[in-house]
Structure formats: C-alpha cells, structure tokens
C-alpha cells in the first residue's frame, strides 16, 4: 500500500479538523480553505542550444489577512498547482503560529534546475518574476528561497522587479545576498530554528546527552542544522544527501573535507539514514520520505520535520502508534520566515542576535503547541495548525469583511 493523499488533500483535512476542534462556522472554514489568488504562468525559455522550451510556474496567495503574502519559490520537477497551494496554506498557519505579521503564499516553477546553465536559470528566474509581477510587491507578497533557489536567484528576482519600477525594492524578497540588503544570519536561520526545536524536544523528552541525531538532506536547511547541532552536546550519527549516505556510531565530523562533499564516515544507502538508530531524526530535504513503506523501520525517539511535508499522513499514523513523536514542519522550520521578518525589519541585525531571537520565538511556539496538544489531547501537528488557524480566523473577524 502506498500513500495516496496529496499534500493539498492532507492540508485541507488538517484545516477541517482544526475548524471542527475550534468550532469555526462553515463559512469561515470555507473561506480559509480557499486561496485568495492563484496565478499560473507560462515561462518561455531560450536554451543555450537555441531551442525554445516553455515551463509552467505558479504563485499562490493563500491568505493576506494578517499581513502581506510571504513564502518561498521552488524549482522542482513534477511541481503542480495543488502542491504550491498546499504549501501556501501551510505558510499562513506558520506565520500565525510564530506570531509574525504576514499571510501565506508560495511559488514555484516546474523544472529541474540542475539541468540548466547559469544563464538559463537567470532567464527562467527573470521571466518568472515578470510574469507574476502584477501580484507581488513589498506590502503585497514577498518572495524567499526554497528548494532549488538561493541567494543568487533572490538577487535576480529583486533586480527584475526593481527594473520595472525604476526604484530599488529590497522589500520584494528575503534571503538575498548581504551586499544588496540581505542579512548575514538569514541563510542559516531555518537550520538555527530546526536545531533549537530539536534540542528543546530532546530536553522535554528527558533524552540524555549526547543526543544522537540523524539528518536526511544536506542542503541549506540540513547543513545549517548540522553545524548548529555540532556546537552542542550532540552526536551526528548519520547524514545523507541526494547522492550519498554516511554514518558513524561515534559521530560524523562535519566541516572536514571539501565543501559540498560528504563528511568522512562509513558509506550507507541514502534511505538507510532514515532508519538509523538515534534520538532525533531530521528529514531536511524533500516531501514524503517517511511513508507507509518505511515508517515501521524508523528507529528514532522523535522526528523533527526540517523539510516541508517529509512525513506523509499515513506515515505519521504509524510513527504515532509506535510512540514516536513528530514535531511538524510549520513549527520546526519556521526559523526561516522569522529570519526573513528581521531581514525586512532590521537588515543590519547581527547574525548572533537574530539567531537568538529565532531560537526564542520557536521555543515559545513549541511551548504553546505542546500546551495546546496536552490540553486538547491532540498531536503536535494538529495543535500547531489549530493555533495558526485560530489566530487567522480572529484576525478576519477583527478586520471585518469588505464590502
Ligand atoms: P536545498 O535545495 O538547499 O537542499 C535540499 C537538499 O536535499 C539538496 O542538497 C539535495 O541534494 C538533497 N536531497 C534531495 N533529495 C534527497 C533525498 N531523497 N534524500 C536526501 N537528500 C536529498 O533546499 P532547502 O532550502 O534546504 O530546503 C529543504 C526543505 O526545507 C524543503 O522542503 C523546503 O521547503 C524546506 N524549507 C526551507 C527553508 C529555507 O529557508 N531554505 C525554510 C523552510 C522550509
């Protein structure tokens, strides 16, 4: 049996149970289930070979009640509008859960960025921004990095948007290079938050140090998480990336060897990292890696979702039955969007101060979530979503309805 639930079906089900638990009216539930705006665009791309290819991209604004849209842009093969919509909805609950004044949005282009030259990637990025321009802007909808995009793409996005305005507009993207208005600590802010949440949950479960951690995915989020944890009383027992897996029961030393290459350690299959015996397992790459097929082989005490949606709903049911706690993505990886908030608010903030504030914001959101979960007898995921949904619903009621 495999999991058949798509991310959008799962996100709508989560909203439905939150609406029921919170006693929302059917009208409010329907409004929160419906994205405010959704734009599909064609991106014609001139290849180096001279050929013409046409890619498809999206920008979905799920909710704009608590503030402008906020959410990353991903370049991913097989991406579709429903997946982007689900991610936009989760951004709405995430911003509300950690108490920052934004709505939820998400964007992306269906493509494999590793198959493009730098010049092709630049053309994709610039054309995507010109196509979604009517929807975005500082105060309207602010973009950020996600899978397959980083500082370089953020700089191109800002420049393209600015070119059409005859004005510099650093507020259109976060996660940009410091030389054009970015903030030093932003690139590692998601990892800082994931590390803070992992340590907090380890403490709340009374796990004895050194905490044994396995990390699946060694990109922006996974690598930064590993670096922050390496400074703590933590043993990194296994790490993987798309093309490799390494483990060492005595601990992997990261930072040795070439950047971009695996840490020295025993070679294992990439998927075996998900089944490594450890205290905390952090899937930090792509969605759906812990599912019905392998959830019964996970040997961690707790799973902290560094990535978005790495545990499928059916996979989570198996983990929960086995007594393995799951800290949901909207809580665990919210450090990125909190960092983005500081980039917009105080671009000159030091990385250390920003990271301390992220750790504080996430620890407090974790405590709120745990209290709610215990009080209502629900999972941490349901509790996190309920807190987010209730804050957005309250904001709707407070603002009132136009006209
Ligand atoms: P990234 O592209 O920098 O890194 C992803 C890494 O995962 C890459 O190194 C890739 O090689 C590797 N990978 C791909 N498939 C894998 C697999 N099956 N097993 C192990 N590794 C695999 O992306 P990122 O920015 O680190 O984002 C990772 C996840 O975190 C995504 O789900 C993203 O939505 C989420 N996220 C990112 C941020 C952020 O600030 N970048 C914020 C919140 C959430």
């Amino acid at each position: 049996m495999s999991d058949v639930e798509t991310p959008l079906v799962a996100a709508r089900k989560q909203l439905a149970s939150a609406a029921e638990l919170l006693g929302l009216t059917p009208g409010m539930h329907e409004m929160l289930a419906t994205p405010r705006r959704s734009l599909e665009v064609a991106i014609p791309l001139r290849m180096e070979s001279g050929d013409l290819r046409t890619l498809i991209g999206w920008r979905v604004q799920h909710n704009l009640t608590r503030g402008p849209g906020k959410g990353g842009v991903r370049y991913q093969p097989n991406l579709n509008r429903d997946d982007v919509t689900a991610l936009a909805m989760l951004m709405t609950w995430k911003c509300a859960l950690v108490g920052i004044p934004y709505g939820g949005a998400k964007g992306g282009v269906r493509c494999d960025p590793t198959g493009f030259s730098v010049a092709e990637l630049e053309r994709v990025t610039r054309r995507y921004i010109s196509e979604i321009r009517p929807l975005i802007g500082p105060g309207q909808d602010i973009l950020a990095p996600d899978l397959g995009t980083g500082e370089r793409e953020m700089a191109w996005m800002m420049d393209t948007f600015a070119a059409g305005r005859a004005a510099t507009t650093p507020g259109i993207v976060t996660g940009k290079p410091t030389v054009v208005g970015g903030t030093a600590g932003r690139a590692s802010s998601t990892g800082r938050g994931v590390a803070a949440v992992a340590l907090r949950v380890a403490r709340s479960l009374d796990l004895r140090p050194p905490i044994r951690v396995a990390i699946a995915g060694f990109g922006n989020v996974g690598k930064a998480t590993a670096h922050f944890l390496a400074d703590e009383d933590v043993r990194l027992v296994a790490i993987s990336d798309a093309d490799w897996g390494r483990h060492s029961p005595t601990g992997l030393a990261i930072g040795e060897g070439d950047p971009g290459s695996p840490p020295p350690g025993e070679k294992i299959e990439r998927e075996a990292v998900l089944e490594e015996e450890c205290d905390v397992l952090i899937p930090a790459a792509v969605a759906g890696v812990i599912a019905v097929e392998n959830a019964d082989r996970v040997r961690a005490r707790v799973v902290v979702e560094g990535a978005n949606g790495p545990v499928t709903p059916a996979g989570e049911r198996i983990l929960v039955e086995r007594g393995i706690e799951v800290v949901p993505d909207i809580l665990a990886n919210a450090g990125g969007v909190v960092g983005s908030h500081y980039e917009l608010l105080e671009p000159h903030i030091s990385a250390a101060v920003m990271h301390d504030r992220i750790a504080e914001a996430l620890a407090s959101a974790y405590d709120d979530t745990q209290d709610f979960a215990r009080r209502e007898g629900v999972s941490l995921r349901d509790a996190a979503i309920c807190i987010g949904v209730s804050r957005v619903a309250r904001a709707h009621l407070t603002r009132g309805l136009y006209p």
Side-chain angles (χ1 to χ4, degrees), residues 47 67 75 156:
M47 306 295 290
Y75 292 169
W156 290 332

Side-chain angles (χ1 to χ4, degrees), residues 324-385:
I324 300 173
E325 190 143 23
V326 179
V327 182
D329 43 14
I330 64 165
L331 173 57
N333 68 30
V337 77
V338 176
S340 291
H341 177 53
Y342 285 111
E343 177 177 332
L344 295 169
L345 215 59
E346 298 175 52
H348 299 297
I349 192 171
S350 76
V353 170
M354 176 165 152
H355 287 158
D356 284 350
R357 291 195 194 161
I358 289 170
E360 219 172 278
L362 265 57
S364 145
Y366 179 79
D367 292 346
D368 290 350
T369 305
Q370 202 182 35
D371 288 350
F372 188 104
R374 287 194 177 143
R375 200 170 59 240
E376 300 293 335
V378 297
S379 69
L380 288 176
R381 187 183 311 277
D382 288 341
I385 292 187

Side-chain angles (χ1 to χ4, degrees), residues 70 72 91 94 106 144-147 149 174-175 183-198 219-229 282-285 304-308 328-341 343 351 354-355 358-359 362:
K70 186 84 195 75
M91 282 305 297
K94 184 189 291 187
K106 200 82 180 188
D146 197 71
L147 276 177
T149 63
T174 56
T183 301
R186 169 60 183 87
S188 50
S189 61
T190 306
R192 179 68 186 90
V194 175
V197 169
N220 176 315
V221 176
K223 207 179 282 181
T225 303
H227 279 282
F228 286 113
L229 288 176
I282 305 178
V304 174
E305 292 190 319
N308 282 314
D329 43 14
I330 64 165
L331 173 57
N333 68 30
V337 77
V338 176
S340 291
H341 177 53
E343 177 177 332
M354 176 165 152
H355 287 158
I358 289 170
L362 265 57

Side-chain angles (χ1 to χ4, degrees), residues 37-43 56-61 71-75 84 105-109 124-137 140-144 157 160-161 165 172-173:
R37 295 190 191 109
S38 175
L39 182 63
E40 178 169 298
V41 295
I43 303 161
I56 304 290
W58 298 270
R59 184 70 186 173
V60 177
Q61 295 170 350
V73 176
R74 57 169 61 185
Y75 292 169
V84 178
K106 200 82 180 188
V109 178
V124 172
T125 305
R126 290 188 182 279
R127 186 63 188 250
Y128 170 69
I129 292 302
S130 8
E131 294 293 337
I132 65 165
R133 175 189 295 282
L135 243 53
I136 60 173
Q140 285 167 267
D141 186 2
I142 303 155
L143 317 177
M157 289 181 186
T160 308
F161 188 81
R165 285 234 171 155
I172 181 62
V173 290

